[in-house]
Amino acid sequence: MTDTIFGKIARGEIECPKVYEDDRSVAFRDINPQAPVHILIVPKASIETVRQIDREPGIMDHLFAVANKIAEQEGLAEQGYRLVVNMGPAGGQSVYHLHVHLLGGRAMTWPPG
Ligand code: 5GP
């Protein structure tokens, strides 16, 4: 089991206002937002990184579908948005429970930092 802050939120052990929840995932606002909209979509299953997605077949499809739904709810569908998955130290991952970042509400730049 991943015992991270996101695992505790996903299991309901820590209170956190959710923007979305279903049987396989939860979503909540990032504590340190990098854009006007910055939401994290997190699987309930214990998955440390994107390299372990085989543990729950179809989980990335599900997380991306949820991200699209939330983006629509947040009014981002027309202007666009960015979905990010960081992997490992060089990828900038700091919490080792898989999550998709949904970023929007401003124009994104490329390349990322
Ligand atoms: P990573 O760097 O692993 O891709 O992203 C982790 C994200 O989680 C960061 O953007 C960070 O601001 C956010 N974060 C870390 N701890 C908490 C927390 O306790 N609550 C919330 N809502 N976000 C958190």
Side-chain angles (χ1 to χ4, degrees):
M1 282 292 275
T2 55
D3 196 19
T4 65
I5 188 84
F6 292 178
K8 288 176 179 153
I9 291 170
R11 292 192 298 272
E13 293 166 17
I14 290 179
E15 271 300 309
C16 175
K18 314 266 183 357
V19 298
Y20 178 88
E21 180 163 16
D22 63 25
D23 58 330
R24 301 178 78 187
S25 63
V26 294
F28 47 88
R29 292 186 196 277
D30 197 291
I31 202 169
N32 182 23
Q34 300 302 309
V37 176
H38 188 172
I39 291 168
L40 303 167
I41 301 100
V42 177
K44 290 187 173 177
S46 180
I47 302 170
E48 287 88 3
T49 83
V50 74
R51 285 172 56 79
Q52 281 89 42
I53 53 172
D54 288 353
R55 263 186 223 164
E56 192 175 321
I59 191 61
M60 293 311 291
D61 282 7
H62 184 76
L63 298 180
F64 275 78
V66 169
N68 285 333
K69 194 182 301 189
I70 296 170
E72 182 88 38
Q73 284 168 10
E74 295 284 323
L76 300 174
E78 287 296 313
Q79 60 189 255
Y81 47 91
R82 184 171 288 176
L83 301 177
V84 174
V85 178
N86 295 324
M87 158 56 207
Q93 185 171 6
S94 60
V95 177
Y96 280 77
H97 184 118
L98 177 64
H99 50 283
V100 174
H101 296 255
L102 165 63
L103 296 147
R106 68 168 170 84
M108 301 293 153
T109 58
W110 195 264

